Amino acid sequence: MAPAQPQASQIPDLVKIGAVSTDTAINVQTDILDPVIFNDNECRFVLENKGILHSNSRITFSSAGDCVANASLGETRAFYPANVGVHSVIQRASLRVGTKTLCEIEDYGHFAAYETSFLPPDAIKEREQVMTGRFATIEPKYVSRSIKFSESETGASNTESIREAESIGIDNARDCSLIDPSETWYDHPVNASVVKPGGVVWDWQNEVKKPQFSILLADLFPFLKLNQLTLYMMSEQVSIHLTFQEKKSDAGASSSKRICHNKGKVTQKDLTLTRPDCQLVADYIFYPQEMMEQYRQANSTMSFNYVDYQFMKRTILQTEFQSGIIQNVGGAGRIVNKVVVMATPTDAGPDSLLNDYVGDGPTIDANSTGKVTTNLKYNDNFLYPVDVSNDARHYHNVFQSEGRVPYISRDLYRGEGLLATDQTARPGSENFEGHAMDDVLRQKFFFTAYRLNKGERVNSRGIELYDTRNPMPGDSTMRAYLQVVKLATLRDGVMEIAFA
């Protein structure tokens, strides 16, 4: 008599990420895969059809270390953007099964900038700046004795402020240096003219040291945050295709989108990725063979919903933004859960801490932060009955759309409070790599998000964005990411993909 086969309900779900409700042995096998294609423009990895791919597998990157000729203190230093790290080298990420695209994100670096705003500061400082090169952790800055001295306060009042901070700045867990990165070595304080301390990147983050960083597959492909790929059940080839940000010529290195450098300096070359260090560290999970075979038999046809992102980008003139735009961002015939919008100045570049990966808004001054008025229209109805113009409401809408709080202050979001400032306006403010905080942080994380909570399919007209920003400092590039629902079906080893 043949033994009874277990019911489907008795077999653990091996695809969903989480605890498996059974006491069983798990074996993890790690393979280091080289790309089958690699050049300055793209690379491609092919996965083996075995086991279950762990979503925390990583792709590693390193550079040639030749962006600058002299990277010592007082000279030019290059490093990855503070808020995205090595994510800046990727322009498009695609996960493909056979000839079908399972997930794809365009302008991935800007999407990573939005996602970074939800990372806890301690995770960035203690883990991400080592793993991915991100170091945009913000801390309050207190008045130090050296600044008191430089302000000619050499009397009895020359004490550190331990109770109140008047500014904020970058905290990468490294003490500030009495070296102005844009000038020369600190020598001696003469006539109370001591150079004010400034932050610098760690030596191992300096591009000349050829740092090696990595990116999680789950960051590249949001699908993998909730699901794992059962590669052993697939008969088609599974591949990861990465398109890199354009590598500029030596003459155009000053407009690189891959790298940043200290204030006022110029890199001799754009960042060059090296093939030997571009590898996929793939973790394959194996359960007991009987369990995996039972799961295959019980799920010969397996369907699941997931989310992917559609992308829209256009350049908007200063006068257009100030007059108000009505932009169709797409989504026709799709089920859209949310829309994320950001605007980047067209002149953003590597002479900063964030490069091009920012969300900017109206001009900020001591009297006003300008005004942003937005709304969405789909299926012939506006998302909000009254246009949203309150900055706190914009911030709240981001929280509502994501279900998580962004770790950014009101100054970084909309310039309120003027806490990200320079050393002249606020004693205690510290430059980082020569860059003043009001130039590189203030209102650089202004993202707007909209949650379409009805679960309706968008009609053929698509989604229209109403956006007015006044006054704008210049022309902008607007990007919109639409989170759409997709349906994937794995039938007898063949993947079928369609919009829900």
Side-chain angles (χ1 to χ4, degrees):
M1 182 176 178
Q5 294 295 319
Q7 300 295 319
S9 60
Q10 297 175 303
I11 303 174
D13 190 344
L14 304 183
V15 176
K16 295 296 182 182
I17 293 179
V20 178
S21 58
T22 183
D23 184 12
T24 184
I26 300 177
N27 181 38
V28 179
Q29 176 182 328
T30 300
D31 289 354
I32 299 179
L33 307 177
D34 290 319
V36 296
I37 296 175
F38 182 90
N39 53 50
D40 286 338
N41 301 317
E42 61 182 352
C43 74
R44 179 158 60 93
F45 296 93
V46 175
L47 299 168
E48 296 185 58
N49 291 63
K50 63 180 183 181
I52 301 172
L53 179 67
H54 198 293
S55 296
N56 284 347
S57 301
R58 288 180 174 269
I59 299 178
T60 63
F61 300 93
S62 185
S63 62
D66 60 352
C67 282
V68 297
N70 186 344
S72 63
L73 285 173
E75 301 294 338
T76 305
R77 282 187 306 285
F79 44 89
Y80 291 104
N83 59 334
V84 297
V86 75
H87 296 79
S88 65
V89 304
I90 298 177
Q91 193 276 328
R92 181 174 65 244
S94 302
L95 177 61
R96 300 172 182 173
V97 181
T99 59
K100 300 170 286 289
T101 299
L102 186 63
C103 286
E104 184 175 73
I105 297 181
E106 290 272 357
D107 272 18
Y108 171 75
H110 295 83
F111 179 81
Y114 174 72
E115 289 292 319
T116 299
S117 64
F118 299 96
L119 285 177
D122 58 332
I124 295 177
K125 183 165 68 173
E126 298 173 7
R127 183 189 68 212
E128 290 301 317
Q129 71 169 331
V130 178
M131 302 297 292
T132 65
R134 291 182 280 199
F135 57 89
T137 304
I138 310 302
E139 71 167 355
K141 293 295 183 179
Y142 298 95
V143 181
S144 65
R145 288 188 178 93
S146 60
I147 292 180
K148 287 286 188 178
F149 188 80
S150 67
E151 297 294 335
S152 301
E153 294 187 17
T154 56
S157 62
N158 186 3
T159 59
E160 287 187 278
S161 171
I162 60 174
R163 296 183 180 180
E164 183 179 1
E166 298 181 349
S167 61
I168 58 178
I170 296 288
D171 174 23
N172 67 337
R174 180 175 182 176
D175 289 338
C176 289
S177 170
L178 288 178
I179 300 168
D180 188 337
S182 64
E183 298 298 336
T184 56
W185 287 84
Y186 165 72
D187 188 10
H188 301 287
V190 178
N191 298 325
S193 61
V194 61
V195 180
K196 297 178 181 179
V200 293
V201 296
W202 290 94
D203 291 341
W204 42 265
Q205 291 175 315
N206 197 331
E207 195 274 337
V208 75
K209 302 294 185 180
K210 306 177 183 179
Q212 187 174 58
F213 296 116
S214 61
I215 301 176
L216 286 173
L217 292 188
D219 289 339
L220 286 169
F221 310 110
F223 161 78
L224 294 177
K225 291 183 178 180
L226 299 176
N227 301 279
Q228 298 179 129
L229 288 177
T230 52
L231 297 176
Y232 79 102
M233 296 173 60
M234 298 181 181
S235 58
E236 300 174 288
Q237 183 185 87
V238 180
S239 61
I240 296 172
H241 193 106
L242 302 179
T243 302
F244 297 136
Q245 279 285 358
E246 177 188 1
K247 182 186 176 183
K248 304 293 184 180
S249 64
D250 292 352
S254 60
S255 60
S256 170
K257 303 302 181 186
R258 296 184 174 189
I259 204 76
C260 292
H261 57 76
N262 50 345
K263 178 72 172 179
K265 301 298 182 178
V266 179
T267 53
Q268 283 75 45
K269 296 181 179 181
D270 199 358
L271 182 135
T272 301
L273 296 173
T274 57
R275 178 170 185 143
D277 292 317
C278 182
Q279 296 176 315
L280 171 59
V281 183
D283 292 331
Y284 300 95
I285 302 174
F286 294 89
Y287 295 93
Q289 184 176 355
E290 299 81 6
M291 179 184 293
M292 296 181 71
E293 188 59 33
Q294 290 170 1
Y295 187 81
R296 184 208 299 266
Q297 294 175 3
N299 296 276
S300 58
T301 299
M302 181 169 56
S303 299
F304 46 89
N305 290 325
Y306 67 100
V307 296
D308 199 8
Y309 288 87
Q310 290 187 339
F311 178 66
M312 187 283 305
K313 178 170 73 171
R314 64 160 287 193
T315 299
I316 301 179
L317 300 179
Q318 176 187 23
T319 53
E320 289 182 299
F321 242 151
Q322 293 178 165
S323 301
I325 63 167
I326 303 176
Q327 175 65 42
N328 192 303
V329 297
R334 312 299 184 210
I335 298 177
V336 181
N337 291 334
K338 69 180 178 183
V339 179
V340 177
V341 179
M342 65 189 74
T344 303
T346 55
D347 59 353
D351 191 11
S352 65
L353 293 182
L354 309 180
N355 202 309
D356 192 50
Y357 308 102
V358 301
D360 208 357
T363 303
I364 304 294
D365 57 37
N367 300 315
S368 173
T369 60
K371 188 175 183 180
V372 178
T373 305
T374 67
N375 209 335
L376 277 188
K377 186 178 182 180
Y378 71 105
N379 293 349
D380 301 321
N381 292 304
F382 283 100
L383 179 62
Y384 307 115
V386 178
D387 293 347
V388 178
S389 59
N390 184 281
D391 294 332
R393 180 68 186 277
H394 289 311
Y395 186 92
H396 174 76
N397 289 339
V398 174
F399 163 68
Q400 286 288 92
S401 299
E402 295 291 336
R404 46 186 176 156
V405 178
Y407 289 91
I408 48 180
S409 69
R410 61 179 185 145
D411 195 1
L412 273 60
Y413 188 71
R414 278 289 284 122
E416 296 180 359
L418 302 181
L419 294 177
T421 183
D422 57 31
Q423 294 175 332
T424 301
R426 296 279 186 181
S429 177
E430 296 167 351
N431 292 348
F432 195 94
E433 289 292 352
H435 297 285
M437 294 299 98
D438 55 345
D439 291 335
V440 297
L441 291 183
R442 182 179 296 167
Q443 196 184 229
K444 300 303 182 185
F445 297 82
F446 179 56
F447 309 106
T448 55
Y450 311 85
R451 181 166 65 99
L452 283 62
N453 55 6
K454 296 180 180 180
E456 297 177 343
R457 186 178 303 277
V458 179
N459 63 20
S460 59
R461 187 172 177 175
I463 300 173
E464 294 178 336
L465 170 67
Y466 289 68
D467 200 328
T468 303
R469 305 185 182 197
N470 191 32
M472 288 295 285
D475 299 343
S476 305
T477 300
M478 186 176 73
R479 294 173 174 84
Y481 297 86
L482 283 69
Q483 188 185 81
V484 298
V485 180
K486 280 187 171 182
L487 174 65
T489 302
L490 183 61
R491 181 178 289 109
D492 296 326
V494 179
M495 184 72 79
E496 301 171 5
I497 301 169
F499 287 99

